[in-house]
Amino acid sequence: MLYRTMPKTDDQLSILGFGCMRLPSTDGKIDEARAIAQIRSSIDKGVNYVDTAWPYHGGASEPLLGKALKDGYREKVKVATKLPSWLLESHEDMDTILNAQLERLQTDHIDYYLVHALNGPLWDSVSALRVTDFLERAKQDGRIINAGFSFHGILPDFKRIVDAYPWEFCQIQYNYLDQEFQAGKEGLKYAHDRDLGIIVMEPLRGGTLALPTPPPAIGEIWETASVKRTPVEWALRWVWNQPEVTLVLSGMNEEEHIEQNLAIAAQAEANTLTEEELNLIDQASRQYHSMMQVGCTGCGYCMPCPAGVMIPNCFDAFNKLSMFGKADEAKFSYALSISGVLGTNEPGFASQCVACGECLEKCPQQIRIPDVLEKVAEALEDEDLEERIEQAKIVFKRRPQ
């Protein structure tokens, strides 16, 4: 494991952190034994930064992490969690939530505490509630050690939030597709120049950049490289190549993916990609942008949908249809994963959308979700949908139990 220094704290942090937003689940609930084993194994192999948040897994992520950090593991890591800015109605709410988080996590302090999911309007709202006074008080009494924020807005708002308080760090979405999205490369450098540590989320764009078999046009680009790498390695090494980045949260939740990420994190030094390799990544970025229909990362902030639509799954199927161009395969996969055939959910088709608009204020990518869902339904739901669902039921029944 490689480590980088958090500028204002001098903490030596593993360049790969363990994020607890997408823990392994069974029947909609966290698979506790498996999740705990994954977290502890990662710590044993050098990970020393673990990130969670109040709403992850419907509030179950923080308590799970508290259990995982028993038996001496708490002392081995820096714990990060987040204040849900959108829930705040009063200044007192901040203390109430932080104290509940300390209890959930079974700890007396949070090493890295973030004001969660800020954009311009949310920052104005929490500022009016004196959030910086709360942060100062919580730092003075030892409940939090370092203060930061995560961001899902536009660049001008990012800069004014950076300048509004002496933050120790920030967390931004950043990958080779999102160099000009939200904070982007300019925001990365702006924060770095002011000595903020930078935590990167969505380095794989919700898994889009890590598909084992990439779209043919992308695969052709990687095939021309003199050094052969997997798609996930290209994506992660691009982020880690930038010295401004302190650490990355990759969203890993499969044992194979964790081992793969750990192996890459053992050798991804900054400034080591060649000009040829950076040019190939730029080509891949341009190609992906030309193929993708919707910029969804699968974060799930839009969920649950009042109408039951499985929004991230619908968008994932729509993008795969666009990228791979295999209509029959995409429509069957859509029927299988969205219909509830697998027994883990009720049907959540795009056509169930009633355009209530509740998802619009939640989406950090600012996607016009109802409009796109209408396009998904048009592309993936036809007169043969019911037949595909019946076929999916047959396939599922044939799977070994």
Side-chain angles (χ1 to χ4, degrees):
M1 176 63 69
L2 297 176
Y3 297 84
R4 295 187 184 178
T5 304
M6 182 65 73
K8 290 186 179 180
T9 72
D10 289 331
D11 285 340
Q12 296 296 304
L13 301 179
S14 54
I15 65 170
L16 178 66
F18 196 105
C20 298
M21 186 173 81
R22 299 183 176 107
L23 295 171
S25 301
T26 302
D27 295 331
K29 296 182 180 180
I30 297 173
D31 184 334
E32 287 202 2
R34 189 176 167 207
I36 289 171
Q38 287 183 355
I39 293 168
R40 291 185 173 186
S41 174
S42 298
I43 295 170
D44 291 338
K45 295 175 182 177
V47 170
N48 68 358
Y49 185 95
V50 187
D51 170 276
T52 184
W54 177 269
Y56 290 174
H57 286 275
S61 179
E62 288 176 330
L64 181 283
L65 182 56
K67 294 178 182 178
L69 296 182
K70 290 182 177 180
D71 304 324
Y73 280 90
R74 175 65 181 92
E75 290 71 31
K76 298 179 180 181
V77 299
K78 302 298 184 182
V79 171
T81 193
K82 309 174 185 76
L83 178 70
S85 55
W86 61 94
L87 294 180
L88 301 175
E89 296 180 354
S90 70
H91 183 78
E92 292 71 25
D93 286 344
M94 303 176 200
D95 286 296
T96 300
I97 291 172
L98 173 56
N99 291 337
Q101 290 174 303
L102 293 170
E103 185 175 345
R104 285 177 168 191
L105 289 161
Q106 302 182 50
T107 188
D108 62 358
H109 70 279
I110 308 298
D111 301 286
Y112 286 84
Y113 196 64
L114 301 91
V115 185
H116 196 182
L118 287 182
N119 54 29
L122 263 178
W123 172 245
D124 293 338
S125 175
V126 298
S127 293
L129 295 175
R130 297 181 291 114
V131 70
T132 58
D133 291 347
F134 157 75
L135 293 172
E136 283 298 300
R137 186 172 66 255
K139 290 171 77 170
Q140 290 171 6
D141 64 30
R143 287 178 295 164
I144 66 173
I145 307 302
N146 303 295
F149 66 95
S150 65
F151 185 75
H152 289 294
I154 59 176
L155 180 61
D157 287 330
F158 177 77
K159 289 181 176 180
R160 70 183 180 95
I161 294 171
V162 166
D163 293 336
Y165 179 76
W167 310 99
E168 278 81 21
F169 70 113
C170 63
Q171 184 169 312
I172 62 172
Q173 177 173 323
Y174 193 57
N175 55 68
Y176 69 71
L177 292 188
D178 292 329
Q179 298 181 55
E180 298 181 6
F181 181 68
Q182 296 185 5
K185 184 182 286 289
E186 184 176 341
L188 175 89
K189 294 185 178 298
Y190 189 86
H192 175 74
D193 288 345
R194 286 150 183 78
D195 291 328
L196 271 69
I198 297 165
I199 314 298
V200 167
M201 57 182 162
E202 301 291 358
L204 304 177
R205 218 15 161 70
T208 296
L209 303 181
L211 296 172
T213 303
I218 302 297
E220 290 172 7
I221 293 171
W222 299 144
E223 282 299 318
T224 67
S226 55
V227 177
K228 304 306 178 186
R229 296 191 174 104
T230 62
V232 66
E233 186 173 1
W234 282 113
L236 290 178
R237 286 186 71 105
W238 182 86
V239 178
W240 280 320
N241 193 61
Q242 297 168 72
E244 298 89 351
V245 173
T246 307
L247 68 86
V248 165
L249 300 167
S250 67
M252 53 192 184
N253 65 356
E254 297 284 344
E255 287 75 9
E256 180 183 355
H257 298 163
I258 294 169
E259 291 302 319
Q260 183 183 44
N261 287 191
L262 287 167
I264 300 167
Q267 54 185 317
E269 299 276 6
N271 296 319
T272 55
L273 292 180
T274 67
E275 183 175 352
E276 174 203 3
E277 290 167 335
L278 291 171
N279 286 336
L280 287 177
I281 294 170
D282 284 343
Q283 289 181 41
S285 176
R286 291 193 296 271
Q287 185 63 45
Y288 265 121
H289 277 295
S290 73
M291 295 188 300
M292 293 179 66
Q293 293 290 323
V294 54
C296 176
T297 67
C299 69
Y301 283 17
C302 56
M303 300 296 286
C305 166
V309 180
M310 297 171 64
I311 299 170
N313 305 66
C314 290
F315 288 169
D316 180 61
F318 193 38
N319 274 333
K320 286 179 179 175
L321 171 64
S322 176
M323 290 188 291
F324 293 94
K326 299 178 180 179
D328 290 342
E329 183 178 314
K331 289 179 180 180
F332 180 79
S333 177
Y334 177 77
L336 178 65
S337 62
I338 308 296
S339 65
V341 167
L342 298 180
T344 57
N345 55 270
E346 296 296 321
F349 292 110
S351 57
Q352 294 171 214
C353 175
V354 296
C356 68
E358 183 173 318
C359 55
L360 293 174
E361 62 186 34
K362 297 179 181 178
C363 178
Q365 317 304 328
Q366 300 169 18
I367 299 167
R368 302 299 301 177
I369 293 175
D371 295 342
V372 181
L373 286 173
E374 186 175 346
K375 295 179 181 179
V376 174
E378 182 178 348
L380 293 171
E381 299 181 33
D382 56 23
E383 66 275 6
D384 296 325
L385 178 61
E386 289 299 327
E387 181 179 343
R388 292 191 186 94
I389 294 172
E390 292 304 314
Q391 292 173 348
K393 290 178 180 177
I394 294 172
V395 171
F396 178 67
K397 287 178 181 177
R398 288 177 179 171
R399 293 176 61 195
Q401 300 299 312

